[in-house]
Amino acid sequence: MMRHPHVWMGLLLWSLFGQAQAAWTVNMAPGATEVSHAVFDLHMTIFWICVIIGIVVFGAMFWSMVVHRRSTGQQAAHFHEHTWVEILWTVVPFLILVAMAIPATKTLIDIYDASDSDIDIQVTGYQWKWHYKYLGQDVEFFSNLATPAEQIHNNSPKDEHYLLEVDQPLVLPVGAKVRFLVTAADVIHSWWVPAFAVKRDAIPGFVNEAWTRVEKPGIYRGQCTELCGKDHGFMPVVVEVKSKADYDTWLGERKAEAAKLKELTSKEWTLEELVARGDKVYHTTCVACHQAEGQGLPPMFPALKGSKIATGPKEAHLGIVFHGKPGTAMAAFGKQLSEVDIAAVVTYERNAWGNNKGDMVTPKDVLALKQAEAQ
Ligand SMILES: [Cu+2]
């Protein structure tokens, strides 16, 4: 099977050496929470138990091989069924396993104890972004990859946090017990922040719990860790941990923004205002599939420039953006975007790239559709 052991050894040494050069990142990171320290300590304890067992077993083996080698005229002992040896080699490993299971169970119980949280956050996985909702706070938002496409396509140098940066990070206060309610809206994802030792599957129709209490302010990065489709590698997790005071300021600002958005929905919009806003929404949310000039990527993603729907009746156009098209990559944006942004992007599409319909869909139209749906 291993006909070229030197090749394998070479590969192993090469990978270890490569890792060593990258500042000795061979070991696990100790992390930034009590649970992550406990996991790290557990890992080290068990690692050293394995090292000691290795030394004892290989020591006895090599000692026997050298001291009782044939060239010195050794004779093999002839005994069978030595009861005491058999009891010993059953009982000793059993005791070692129990000794390892006790701290492991303690840590596991700790990991699953999400009770008495200070803050509850619903984390929802989407293809391909995360949605965070601060329960009871009226604050929720999507967190999208922020790495520019030029870097992904190797047209410009990659920055330090390539593919690990988002437009809006999850923000937490330092020292508070935060409970995560993890779920998904489409396929299975998994929310992972190594420094917190939190990794929880996000499954449609299920809510899985996890929790953390971060010790130090800072920026912590993670990833989706369940293969969830073509852009699985493009939905990182970024958590910004702030001091309690800074967190309160941030939360206050987000609440004010949410209130302002409600106001925006009821305001009278002009066509120019909606188009200007829709331009931004389009270039963050729709451009990946429908492309910068609305030309799409046929046959996968239809062109919107001159499309029958984007130049046809307003209701059908709003309908497909709001409800999506089940079974295709066209998602239901009704749940993902605000009323203002949906109205703006639809209006933009009706008036960009020579579509020139000159009409508009207002946030109130979107709100009316939403309310009709809710009944
Ligand atoms: Cu995912």
Side-chain angles (χ1 to χ4, degrees):
M1 199 172 63
M2 293 235 299
R3 261 187 292 165
H4 301 291
H6 53 283
V7 174
W8 292 103
M9 283 302 286
L11 274 176
L12 182 70
L13 281 177
W14 176 74
S15 67
L16 282 180
F17 186 65
Q19 297 247 19
Q21 280 182 320
W24 276 107
T25 47
V26 176
N27 205 354
M28 275 174 64
T33 65
E34 213 174 291
V35 167
S36 70
H37 299 325
V39 170
F40 182 77
D41 292 345
L42 198 60
H43 159 73
M44 290 316 290
T45 308
I46 287 167
F47 172 74
W48 287 118
I49 292 177
C50 292
V51 168
I52 293 167
I53 293 175
I55 291 174
V56 170
V57 170
F58 284 105
M61 197 171 97
F62 283 109
W63 179 82
S64 313
M65 280 158 61
V66 171
V67 172
H68 299 106
R69 62 189 184 278
R70 191 175 187 164
S71 63
T72 63
Q74 298 289 334
Q75 293 292 325
H78 291 278
F79 64 84
H80 293 275
E81 294 177 19
H82 193 296
T83 314
W84 274 111
V85 170
E86 283 171 17
I87 289 176
L88 215 63
W89 76 39
T90 310
V91 171
V92 170
F94 177 74
L95 291 179
I96 295 174
L97 284 180
V98 171
M100 299 205 297
I102 290 170
T105 308
K106 248 182 75 188
T107 305
L108 265 181
I109 290 174
D110 207 17
I111 289 175
Y112 280 92
D113 179 14
S115 60
D116 296 326
S117 57
D118 303 316
I119 298 174
D120 296 329
I121 297 177
Q122 187 186 61
V123 177
T124 310
Y126 282 78
Q127 282 175 318
W128 290 276
K129 58 193 152 206
W130 293 100
H131 180 260
Y132 301 115
K133 182 172 185 175
Y134 292 65
L135 298 179
Q137 298 289 346
D138 220 6
V139 169
E140 58 182 302
F141 54 88
F142 277 93
S143 184
N144 297 287
L145 178 73
T147 300
E150 304 88 70
Q151 290 186 22
I152 295 172
H153 298 129
N154 292 325
N155 293 330
S156 70
K158 304 185 192 303
D159 31 86
E160 192 190 349
H161 299 298
Y162 177 68
L163 296 188
L164 291 176
E165 50 198 346
V166 297
D167 54 354
Q168 300 190 73
L170 175 68
V171 177
L172 302 180
V174 73
K177 181 160 184 177
V178 183
R179 182 169 68 135
F180 300 113
L181 298 159
V182 184
T183 185
D186 35 44
V187 300
I188 301 180
H189 303 265
S190 185
W191 197 79
W192 180 41
V193 181
F196 301 170
V198 170
K199 188 187 219 177
R200 193 63 80 232
D201 279 356
I203 306 174
F206 288 79
V207 177
N208 288 331
E209 270 186 339
W211 70 275
T212 195
R213 189 195 298 276
V214 189
E215 294 164 343
K216 272 196 310 246
I219 293 183
Y220 301 91
R221 293 171 202 275
Q223 276 161 305
C224 175
T225 174
E226 182 69 56
L227 189 54
C228 59
K230 113 181 183 316
D231 285 352
H232 162 63
F234 300 82
M235 52 180 294
V237 174
V238 180
V239 183
E240 191 175 350
V241 177
K242 294 180 186 277
S243 70
K244 181 80 180 76
D246 286 353
Y247 170 79
D248 288 341
T249 314
W250 175 86
L251 194 67
E253 280 166 8
R254 295 307 305 232
K255 281 186 183 168
E257 260 171 50
K260 207 168 110 198
L261 204 60
K262 275 196 187 139
E263 222 170 87
L264 279 181
T265 303
S266 51
K267 140 185 159 118
E268 294 301 329
W269 288 80
T270 66
L271 182 65
E272 288 69 34
E273 285 171 335
L274 280 176
V275 168
R277 191 178 176 107
D279 190 345
K280 291 206 193 94
V281 178
Y282 183 85
H283 285 96
T284 45
T285 314
C286 323
V287 71
C289 298
H290 294 293
Q291 304 296 301
E293 296 303 317
Q295 76 275 32
L297 284 173
M300 280 290 281
F301 307 122
L304 300 180
K305 178 184 165 75
S307 115
K308 275 209 191 82
I309 292 185
T311 58
K314 289 197 288 192
E315 293 69 26
H317 188 180
L318 173 58
I320 189 165
V321 176
F322 194 91
H323 295 117
K325 180 109 180 205
T328 76
M330 181 61 198
F333 287 97
K335 288 204 197 96
Q336 305 191 17
L337 296 174
S338 68
E339 288 103 37
V340 175
D341 284 346
I342 291 178
V345 79
V346 172
T347 305
Y348 171 75
E349 287 174 353
R350 302 181 71 73
N351 293 283
W353 324 299
N355 281 357
N356 294 339
K357 290 290 289 178
D359 60 4
M360 62 184 190
V361 169
T362 65
K364 281 182 191 158
D365 297 336
V366 183
L367 190 63
L369 178 62
K370 230 180 212 179
Q371 283 163 348
E373 295 283 300
Q375 273 159 19

